[in-house]
Amino acid sequence: MSHLHITSWVIAFVLVGLATTFTRSGNEKAAKISHMILRADYLLILYSGGSLFASYATYGPLIIIKVLVGLWVIAAMEMITIKFKKKKPVGVWWAQLLIAAIIAIVLGFGFLPMGILPA
């Protein structure tokens, strides 16, 4: 399940980049399609993350923090695509996405079971 989760969030990052690039270039149809695919990808992220959460439920408060930070990443991605489309400032949301993604990756790979970083 961790492979599905990692693949889903990598695809989500790519789709955020595509949606903003298409919006910037004026290709609204492609931007809308990539945004809709991104929203479907959120479902995969939530499904695989929920499955991982169920397997780590006994791990303590660290997994709760990881879930909340993961939801923060999804919220930041969605706000970037929506505000970019409406031509509103998105710098703060990009910063939040970067911070939340780094925290989520460090928690997931470094501190939770099946991580690859040294403990």
Side-chain angles (χ1 to χ4, degrees), residues 38-96:
L38 176 63
R39 287 179 172 166
D41 191 45
Y42 293 156
L43 296 175
L44 278 175
I45 293 170
L46 292 172
Y47 168 74
S48 58
S51 178
L52 290 171
F53 173 73
S55 64
Y56 294 156
T58 60
Y59 205 70
L62 194 58
I63 190 68
I64 303 294
I65 294 169
K66 172 70 167 80
V67 168
L68 293 174
V69 172
L71 291 173
W72 180 19
V73 170
I74 290 174
M77 281 193 245
E78 184 66 15
M79 292 305 289
I80 287 168
T81 53
I82 290 172
K83 291 202 177 272
F84 203 86
K85 183 176 158 183
K86 293 181 178 183
K87 298 183 183 359
K88 295 194 176 186
V90 293
V92 172
W93 289 104
W94 279 112
Q96 285 189 37

Side-chain angles (χ1 to χ4, degrees), residues 11-12 18 21 23 26-28 34 37 39-40 51 56 62-63 75 79 83 99-101 103 111 113:
I11 290 170
L18 283 175
T21 302
T23 302
N27 193 346
E28 292 300 321
S34 59
I37 295 170
R39 287 179 172 166
S51 178
Y56 294 156
L62 194 58
I63 190 68
M79 292 305 289
K83 291 202 177 272
I99 291 167
I103 292 170
F111 295 101

